[in-house]
Amino acid sequence: MKSLPYFCRGEVIRGFGRGSKELGIPTANFPDSVVDHLPADISTGIYYGWACVSNGDVYKMVMSIGWNPYYKNTKKSMETHVIHTFKEDFYGEILSVVMVGYIRPERSYDSLEALITAINNDIEEAKAKLDLPEHLKLRDDNFFTSAGSSPSAPPPNTASTSQTIMNGH
């Protein structure tokens, strides 16, 4: 995928409400405006990378892009699981992510337990891959320090509104 690494940011919106409740794996969801502007070569599936909420710390993440076949969604989504325990929800905050690599295509599962096992395997794979030197350097990218520091004055060559995505900052 030529578009990787892919840099994007947007406001965290309420999703389907399944991540925390059904799966025990909370996700932060991007609005349609971010999902709809993904490059054509970013196929559906599971990705790994780095994420930052507002101007906070940068953490490892896994992201599902697609229709979640187990749930038979009719709307494409981008759901990010930040590999960190947050004290509270952060709806309305700006989430900045760098998608670094691709783990696998999306697929359906015979049971909720099988889906949860697959997600946990994805998390472990992401943790290991993000420890590689070529991926670690992206954790400190200036993209994260420019994450909405001033909504009225975006950094050069980037935008910081919830309706905008960017790459190649």
Side-chain angles (χ1 to χ4, degrees), residues 1-4 38-43 47:
M1 284 176 237
K2 292 180 290 186
S3 295
L4 294 181
L38 284 169
D41 73 325
I42 300 282
S43 59
Y47 292 81

Side-chain angles (χ1 to χ4, degrees), residues 27-151:
T27 59
N29 296 271
F30 279 116
D32 292 342
S33 59
V34 175
V35 179
D36 294 344
H37 287 94
L38 284 169
D41 73 325
I42 300 282
S43 59
T44 60
I46 310 304
Y47 292 81
Y48 62 93
W50 300 101
C52 173
V53 178
S54 296
N55 287 321
D57 292 335
V58 178
Y59 300 105
K60 295 175 179 180
M61 68 83 173
V62 290
M63 176 188 289
S64 170
I65 298 176
W67 288 272
N68 301 310
Y70 178 81
Y71 290 104
K72 298 174 177 49
N73 288 1
T74 57
K75 188 169 107 172
K76 188 175 181 181
S77 65
M78 286 174 72
E79 301 179 49
T80 305
H81 172 68
V82 181
I83 304 172
H84 176 75
T85 302
F86 291 90
K87 291 183 178 143
E88 54 193 40
D89 290 335
F90 46 86
Y91 296 115
E93 297 291 329
I94 299 299
L95 177 67
S96 300
V97 300
V98 176
M99 294 164 44
V100 174
Y102 184 75
I103 295 176
R104 63 176 175 83
E106 64 177 345
R107 58 179 165 255
S108 192
Y109 293 89
D110 295 332
S111 69
L112 188 60
E113 293 75 25
L115 173 60
I116 292 169
T117 297
I119 294 170
N120 284 318
N121 289 340
D122 297 336
I123 291 168
E124 291 308 311
E125 185 171 343
K127 286 179 182 177
K129 287 186 174 183
L130 288 165
D131 283 337
L132 297 172
E134 64 267 27
H135 298 324
L136 274 172
K137 67 182 180 187
L138 287 166
R139 179 184 60 194
D140 300 321
D141 194 279
N142 65 5
F143 171 73
F144 292 115
T145 58
S146 68
S149 50
S150 173

